[in-house]
Every structure is written in C-alpha cells, then in structure tokens.
Amino acid sequence: MSNLIARRKFIKMSAGAGMATAIWTPLLEKALAVKANNATRSILDVKHIVILMQENRSFDHYFGAMKGVRGFGDRFPIPLESGKRAFHQSDGKKIIPPYRANKRTTNAALINGTPHDFPDTQAAWNQGKYGFWPLFKKPYSMAYYTREEIPFQYAMAESFTICDAYHCSVATGTDPNRIVFWSGSNFDPEKRAAGINCTDEHSEPVNVRCWITGKMPDPEYTYRANAFTWPTIPDVLQEAGISWKIYQDPNNNWTGAMHGCLAFESFRNAKPGSPVYENGMRHWSVQDLMNDVKNNTLPQVSWVLPSQDDSEHPGAPSSPYRGADFTHSVLSAVTADPEVWSKTVFFLTFDENDGLFDHLPAPAVPSYNLDGTLAGKSTLDLRGMYFHNDKGTDEFPNIHWGANSKRIYQDKRDTITGNIRPWGLGPRVPMYIISPWSKGGWVNSEVADHTSVGQFIEKRFGVVIPAISPWHRAVCSDLTSAFDFETPNDPVFPAMPETSDYAAMDEASKKLPKALAPETPAPLYQEKGVRYSRKLPYRLYTYYKALKDENKIRLVFENKGAAGAVYHVYDMNHLQKIPRRYTVESGKALSDEWDTVGNNGSYDLEVYGPNGYFHKFSGSIQNHEPEVKLVYDHVKGSISADLHNPTGHPVSVTIVSNAYQYKDKGPWLITLKAGKKKSKSWDLKNSGNWYDFSIKTDDGFLHRFAGRIEIQRHSISDPAMATEI
C-alpha cells in the first residue's frame, strides 16, 4: 500500500466519513500545500521561527475530548485521597467531574475566568495529590470544550501537530510563565546555581513586574518592582547576531502583561535607536509581520503579542472564537509568501491554564514533607529549584499595586507542606506546532514546557540560553521530536473551518445561560480513535525487590532512554501522604524504599511516567511471591516478562492482557517450581507497540505494567484510549 493511500485510509478510520466532505479554508489549504524546505534534511532547513503565546487555557479544557491524545479517556488517572481517581474532584461538598460547556445551551464561549495565582494553584495541586481543584479554582474550572465549540482549534491540531505533554513552567499565573518563556527562568539563575532558593525579591511568583503604567514612547512605561538582570532570549540572540523582533502594540498589550521581557533591566533601560528598543519596544503590527514575510525580511526569530481582546483569555472580551480569528490573521501573515513559509516554524501555545483543570500530574521536582524530608529523589542537584516563601500564609501589603492592595503567597488551608515550594512544572497547556515539517495531524507526547521553545532556538541557531536550568534540560524536550525534517512533504490532511464569524458567535453565546457545572455529573467523554504519534526517546524501567528481613520493599527506577524523566509514585495504602517524585536523567538510576510494618507486610504502589507509562506493585512480603523483570525489544517492538520464583514453594501465576488482543489470546497460566525461572513474550506490532498486562497470584500479588515500547519509528496513539468510558 502506498504511503498516500495508507494516510487516506488512516484519516478516514480515525476522523470519520464527515471529514472527507469538509471544505478547506483558503488559508490552511495554502499553508498545507507548501512543501518544506528540505535542503539539508535537518533542523538547519528552518530559517524562521515565529512564536505566539495566547492566554489561559488548559489542555484538558481544550482537547481532553479529542481523539488520540491523553485526555478524559486516560486509562490510568492518578489516585486521590478519597479513593477515587483524578477526574473526581471535589468542591469540599460534592464531586464535580469535568463537564462540557455546550455552545448550544450555555454561554460556552465566554466562560468565567478562574483563580490562577501561586497560592490557589499550589493549594489545588496539593503537591501532586489534587482532589479539591474546584474548591480552590471554582466549580466552573472543570468545564471543557468539544470540537463543536472550538472547531478551528481542533482543525489546527488535526492539520498539524498537537503536543499532549506540554506544561506551563510555573504553577501560577501570566507573568511568571511569560518571564520563563522569554528568558528561560522566573527565578535568578545565579542564585539557583549557588543553591539558594529565591524569595520574591529575585523571582516572580505572582504578576508584578510586567504590569506597567504609562504609554510608549511618551512618557514611557513605569514599572512596579525591581528588574531582573539575567539575559533574555532576545538579548542572547542580539549578542549572537541572530535577527529578532517582537510584533506588538506597546499600548495595547494588556498593560504590558503579554510582554515577559518587561521584567528585565535590558528592556527597561533600552533607549530609542538601540536594537532592544527598536525590535522589542516599538509598535510592530501583524500587518508589519505580513510585510516582512512578503519582502523576505522576516527576522530569524519573532514573537507576536496579542491584545487583551485577541488573547483567548477566558471571559469577555476575548473568547476562543476571537482568539481563533487572531490566530488566523497571524497565520495569514506568516504564510503570505510560500517561499518564506517553506522555511518557517510557527509555535502557538498558552502561558498558563488559568484555573482550568488538567488531570495529568505535572512533572516536578520532589515536594518537601512537613518534617523537612524530600518526598522523592533526583539524580540532579535540586538546590535552588524552589520558591522560598518568606512571608508564609500572612496577608501583606502589595506596595507595587497600591496601598489598599493585598497579597498572599500561601493559602491558610494549604498546610500539606512548608514554605519551600516547587516552582513547577505546572498543568498542561495546548501547544500547536504549525510548519511544513509538522503537518498531518500528529500528536507529540514528549514532556515539554516553556523552556522547550528556547531549547529549540538553541538547537537551531547554536546559542546558549543560560537561565534554563539543568533540571529543565534533562526533563523537558527541545521539541525536535515533533518534526520530520527528513521526509516532510506529504499533502493529505484534514480540513479547517471558517473563523471570521467570531463576533456573531460571541453575541449568540452571550444570550445563553452560564456554563455552570451540572447538578447531576455527566459521564466522562472522549472521542474514540487514534492519530499518528511521533516516536519518543523514553526507555523507562521500574524494578521491585522485597526486603523481607527489613520489612521493606525497594523500587529501582532506571532510565535507559535518551531523555530524562520524572516518575510519580502514589502509595495506595497512604494516599494522605505527598506522592514521591523521582527525576532520573538519561542513563541513570535511583532507588527508594517503603516500610511495610504498619501494613502487616502489605504494599500497594502505583508508578506513573510519560506517555502512559504505568506500573502497579501490590501484594505482601509475607507471602510467597514471584519476581518479575521486564525486557523490551526496541528493534522488533516486543516485550518479555521474565518470572523467577525465589521461594522454596511452587508459585502459580496468571497473566492477563487488559486492553489489547494478541494471536495467543490468553490468559496465560504459568507454574514456577521453587527456585525456577520462566519467560513469556509478546509481539506488540498489532497494538502500535502499546501493552497492558497484569501478573497475578491467588494470594493477592499483582504486578501490572502498561505503556508503549519505543522502536525508533513513528507509531500511533494508544488504541485503548477512551475505550473504558
């Protein structure tokens, strides 16, 4: 079967017959028709990077219902202290699961904004426990859209590439995340390198430094707090002789909030005539962007800042429809000349999630227990990677916002840990990668955050952004795995809807009732189907060992892949505790132990990692239990379970495939004599290299392992996604 026919067949199967009859808009038809510059078959074919950061949408809110991504059909949501799973959040009185903001019956386009500052985000995140998101973020934080509400956003994702593991960098609001986006960090990298956790004097936990008064050029901006001194990405580019520009109206950029560089000394002190002032402080419109494209004078790196109205921020005056129309205008500009577009990457992401819910546990450095111990470990030095809240839970005057303005950095109800708090990563936000090298409706599931765009710039132009921490470099991708630089030119894609009727759609939405949580919770929903999925650099292992003499169990986390990863471990016998997190760099391993004395020898641990990696270990060290070791074949795409009976008694095990069918359908019954070993293997090619097996014994032993074997070829998303809801 030819590649062209195979892709058509795949799109028909996964998208439905209606997609074939949809009509292309001229803009996207033109964008998709242009062949990628393929001169070097590498990232060097990219000559221009254009970046748009919109406002305040979580991944689940926009795409939790879309097929082929890690959304509401996730088969392994984390456990909550209540005993339920991540989607069963509480407002303190009742469970409020995610619910659809239906455009037909509610003002879905204009849903309320939600609390989205450092104290409420820390409280809702609860150091990884979650559980009370709508209590701290309001019940309407659980609202989500389907393709009916946001057709343009869905169509962009299904025409190009969507990232379903892209997180905001800081578990808080706009300024801190935009400062990371434009510099690589929201806290002083020199202090971090010295092992010092920053207070708010040398970091940005809440919105202060980018919110200005005054106008440009006269009388110029007035700033509310001290400036940061480390170099921004534009400073790095300028020093290296890489051309850049920020397209914005400096007097219509939401009072400076869209411009993360305004927190920095180099921008605040820039004078007319200097490169920083001329490229980063003046008025450059979307029309100027289009002119630069048409004149072949587009800088090598460009940022586009929205106005408040166009920012896609929840609540009036913006909306997904207005944001779509603004995105349409930016895309029109970027694609105005086919030759320039053939050499351009367009990144479109969001600074933070507002307070909108996302179910995936954020990869983060370990939290601190109340006794000062770390809940987890890292192969990297973590000193300096935390916010030092020296003000505690007290309300204090915010001198930068006026005498009557008050601030807190910690909710009084948030007592699970002390005043040393992880910065992030925060919740997932959408990231579209729109370019001639990323078209075709792909999903990329490598963990990424706002530093990843900076790392892509580094990779392409050979610069170094010094503020990006070693931890971020280990865990967060440089986004190159989302691209096909070798063979990018394939013309068959889904269709794009119209966006110019946003005003009428907003007006219609205003006339409908608010999109409130329903009294009777609706069942979870996600479209069934798969999409093409990029190959990933993960090869993760977790090994279990019973330490009977010490009444403990040990887990070993080994990373044989090319990228670092964060393992999350939830103790099902002690869900009141902070989950432990383990950062393991590529080629390294960590181990940790759990005491079983208080549980009479029983244990029940769940391990979560990127792209659906899941291991469950439960049983009792007092029983006769087998040892299980997994072996991955990254060439053939197979998996083996090596079983060993270390006891002096025979052990019988049952192996079950929980989601996928194989030629030998199972279940498989295996008896292990004392001291003996046996192995069972499975070829995973019919499941796209996805697996989910349970190994059980009659006395309660359960070892369940799930994920995808990476074979260094592109694959598909999880075929079992959304099959259980």
Side-chain angles (χ1 to χ4, degrees):
M1 183 184 298
S2 72
N3 186 48
L4 180 63
I5 294 173
R7 288 182 69 86
R8 284 176 175 163
K9 181 179 178 182
F10 177 84
I11 290 169
K12 184 176 180 180
M13 287 191 303
S14 61
M19 186 66 74
T21 61
I23 300 173
W24 292 104
T25 61
L27 168 64
L28 270 300
E29 184 178 38
K30 178 177 68 174
L32 290 166
V34 172
K35 290 188 175 182
N37 179 33
N38 201 212
T40 70
R41 297 165 65 90
S42 74
I43 194 175
L44 296 179
D45 290 326
V46 177
K47 304 302 180 184
H48 309 282
I49 301 170
V50 179
I51 307 159
L52 170 61
M53 175 175 271
Q54 292 285 76
E55 279 285 293
N56 294 39
R57 302 284 178 172
S58 77
F59 185 87
D60 273 350
H61 168 66
Y62 260 16
F63 293 117
M66 187 172 75
K67 66 181 180 294
V69 299
R70 193 150 301 278
F72 299 131
D74 193 341
R75 299 174 60 248
F76 300 104
I78 61 170
L80 306 176
E81 187 173 354
S82 65
K84 297 183 180 295
R85 294 286 166 166
F87 296 115
H88 294 82
Q89 298 290 311
S90 173
D91 68 353
K93 298 179 181 179
K94 62 180 179 180
I95 300 299
I96 303 179
Y99 68 92
R100 179 184 174 187
N102 192 321
K103 65 175 286 188
R104 298 181 183 183
T105 58
T106 70
N107 68 337
L110 304 170
I111 62 165
N112 290 10
T114 58
H116 50 281
D117 221 334
F118 192 80
D120 53 82
T121 306
Q122 283 279 313
W125 177 51
N126 206 15
Q127 306 305 305
K129 286 180 58 179
Y130 293 83
F132 293 93
W133 197 273
L135 173 65
F136 294 101
K137 299 290 193 177
K138 306 300 182 186
Y140 41 83
S141 66
M142 303 301 292
Y144 69 85
Y145 295 135
T146 68
R147 68 173 60 243
E148 187 175 353
E149 283 76 42
I150 51 171
F152 183 76
Q153 286 83 353
Y154 264 63
M156 278 198 300
E158 292 176 332
S159 296
F160 293 96
T161 294
I162 189 71
C163 298
D164 70 350
Y166 186 99
H167 295 254
C168 63
S169 295
V170 192
T172 179
T174 289
D175 276 18
N177 279 289
R178 286 182 177 263
I179 288 169
V180 175
F181 197 59
W182 263 275
S183 78
S185 180
N186 72 307
F187 53 96
D188 191 328
E190 290 189 2
K191 290 191 174 296
R192 180 203 72 225
I196 300 171
N197 294 319
C198 289
T199 66
D200 60 351
E201 182 180 358
H202 297 102
S203 68
E204 183 88 341
V206 299
N207 294 341
V208 174
R209 286 175 172 85
C210 299
W211 291 80
I212 51 84
T213 56
K215 293 187 175 182
M216 297 294 285
D218 184 39
E220 298 188 344
Y221 291 155
T222 300
Y223 300 96
R224 288 189 165 100
N226 61 300
F228 295 141
T229 57
W230 62 89
T232 66
I233 295 176
D235 292 323
V236 170
L237 296 176
Q238 187 64 40
E239 180 69 21
I242 308 298
S243 60
W244 64 276
K245 188 181 289 184
I246 298 174
Y247 294 87
Q248 62 153 342
D249 181 345
N251 296 315
N252 192 14
N253 57 9
W254 206 331
T255 323
M258 301 297 94
H259 196 334
C261 292
L262 298 184
F264 291 86
E265 192 174 81
S266 61
F267 274 72
R268 293 185 182 187
N269 295 338
K271 302 302 180 186
S274 69
V276 167
Y277 191 97
E278 298 302 323
N279 294 325
M281 302 292 276
R282 285 205 181 276
H283 187 168
W284 298 102
S285 67
V286 174
Q287 183 60 53
D288 291 321
L289 173 63
M290 179 176 285
N291 292 340
D292 285 344
V293 170
K294 289 181 176 179
N295 296 330
N296 198 21
T297 56
L298 182 66
Q300 290 163 286
V301 181
S302 305
W303 290 267
V304 182
L305 307 188
S307 67
Q308 181 176 351
D309 288 356
D310 294 326
S311 68
E312 224 159 319
H313 195 288
S318 196
S319 70
Y321 306 133
R322 294 186 71 98
D325 193 63
F326 180 68
T327 299
H328 194 280
S329 69
V330 175
L331 273 171
S332 296
V334 175
T335 59
D337 181 85
E339 179 66 20
V340 173
W341 173 239
S342 74
K343 303 173 182 177
T344 300
V345 168
F346 177 44
F347 291 114
L348 169 56
T349 189
F350 292 74
D351 55 0
E352 36 109 350
N353 62 301
D354 205 83
L356 295 162
F357 177 70
D358 187 80
H359 80 279
L360 206 66
V365 297
S367 298
Y368 278 94
N369 296 308
L370 280 173
D371 63 3
T373 59
L374 272 181
K377 296 180 180 180
S378 173
T379 59
L380 287 152
D381 187 353
L382 298 179
R383 292 176 297 174
M385 289 294 296
Y386 297 82
F387 173 51
H388 178 197
N389 174 23
D390 60 345
K391 297 175 176 62
T393 60
D394 293 337
E395 189 178 67
F396 60 92
N398 187 344
I399 60 173
H400 307 298
W401 289 90
N404 296 323
S405 179
K406 303 291 184 180
R407 280 287 189 187
I408 61 169
Y409 288 149
Q410 186 175 327
D411 191 298
K412 290 182 182 294
R413 297 167 290 179
D414 180 12
T415 59
I416 192 172
T417 185
N419 64 345
I420 305 297
R421 302 283 179 118
W423 284 113
L425 305 178
R428 290 184 301 169
V429 294
M431 162 60 96
Y432 316 82
I433 300 180
I434 302 172
S435 78
W437 303 275
S438 57
K439 54 191 179 182
W442 293 85
V443 62
N444 181 263
S445 300
E446 187 174 2
V447 171
D449 83 318
H450 295 330
T451 70
S452 296
V453 177
Q455 292 184 64
F456 186 87
I457 292 171
E458 288 183 324
K459 186 88 170 183
R460 169 56 189 89
F461 294 113
V463 297
V464 175
I465 300 166
I468 300 176
S469 77
W471 184 88
H472 286 86
R473 293 187 184 280
V475 171
C476 301
S477 83
D478 60 13
L479 299 176
T480 55
S481 63
F483 294 84
D484 178 3
F485 291 120
E486 293 188 2
T487 57
N489 295 313
D490 188 331
V492 181
F493 310 101
M496 299 291 280
E498 183 57 55
T499 67
S500 60
D501 56 349
Y502 68 87
M505 297 172 77
D506 280 358
E507 285 303 313
S509 186
K510 289 178 183 178
K511 298 175 183 178
L512 296 172
K514 287 186 176 181
L516 301 176
E519 288 297 320
T520 302
L524 290 171
Y525 167 74
Q526 184 177 0
E527 300 168 343
K528 292 177 173 58
V530 297
R531 63 197 322 105
Y532 284 122
S533 175
R534 293 295 189 189
K535 62 185 178 182
L536 301 175
Y538 298 123
R539 297 186 180 186
L540 306 180
Y541 297 79
T542 308
Y543 306 111
Y544 158 81
K545 180 69 175 177
L547 307 176
K548 292 190 175 184
D549 293 343
E550 303 174 44
N551 290 311
K552 293 180 179 180
I553 63 164
R554 175 183 296 150
L555 293 186
V556 178
F557 310 97
E558 185 176 13
N559 184 350
K560 296 182 180 180
V566 173
Y567 298 75
H568 310 251
V569 183
Y570 289 78
D571 187 341
M572 302 297 289
N573 289 329
H574 299 282
L575 287 173
Q576 78 280 7
K577 293 184 178 181
I578 294 173
R580 302 188 198 180
R581 290 187 295 276
Y582 300 87
T583 299
V584 185
E585 296 167 90
S586 170
K588 295 188 178 182
L590 282 175
S591 66
D592 210 350
E593 296 172 359
W594 282 258
D595 198 318
T596 67
V597 173
N599 301 309
N600 298 315
S602 70
Y603 59 91
D604 192 352
L605 302 175
E606 293 188 352
V607 182
Y608 298 80
N611 197 33
Y613 178 89
F614 175 79
H615 271 204
K616 182 179 180 69
F617 304 89
S618 62
S620 173
I621 62 173
Q622 297 178 357
N623 295 335
H624 304 302
E625 296 186 339
E627 292 179 346
V628 181
K629 183 178 180 180
L630 303 182
V631 180
Y632 306 153
D633 187 327
H634 295 284
V635 177
K636 296 180 179 179
S638 63
I639 189 171
S640 299
D642 292 346
L643 308 176
H644 174 224
N645 179 5
T647 75
H649 304 269
V651 174
S652 295
V653 302
T654 301
I655 306 177
V656 177
S657 175
N658 298 302
Y660 313 103
Q661 296 296 319
Y662 305 97
K663 289 182 179 180
D664 180 6
K665 294 183 178 180
W668 301 273
L669 305 178
I670 298 175
T671 298
L672 295 168
K673 295 181 179 180
K676 297 300 183 179
K677 298 179 180 180
K678 288 187 179 181
S679 182
K680 176 62 182 175
S681 299
W682 299 268
D683 186 330
L684 306 177
K685 63 182 178 182
N686 290 334
S687 60
N689 304 117
W690 292 87
Y691 61 91
D692 179 3
F693 295 100
S694 292
I695 300 178
K696 311 173 185 179
T697 67
D698 290 339
D699 57 2
F701 173 86
L702 171 61
H703 178 170
R704 184 175 182 179
F705 47 101
R708 187 175 82 176
I709 301 293
E710 295 297 332
I711 58 172
Q712 293 310 299
R713 290 195 302 273
H714 302 308
S715 184
I716 58 173
S717 61
D718 186 354
M721 185 72 70
T723 58
E724 298 178 358
I725 60 171

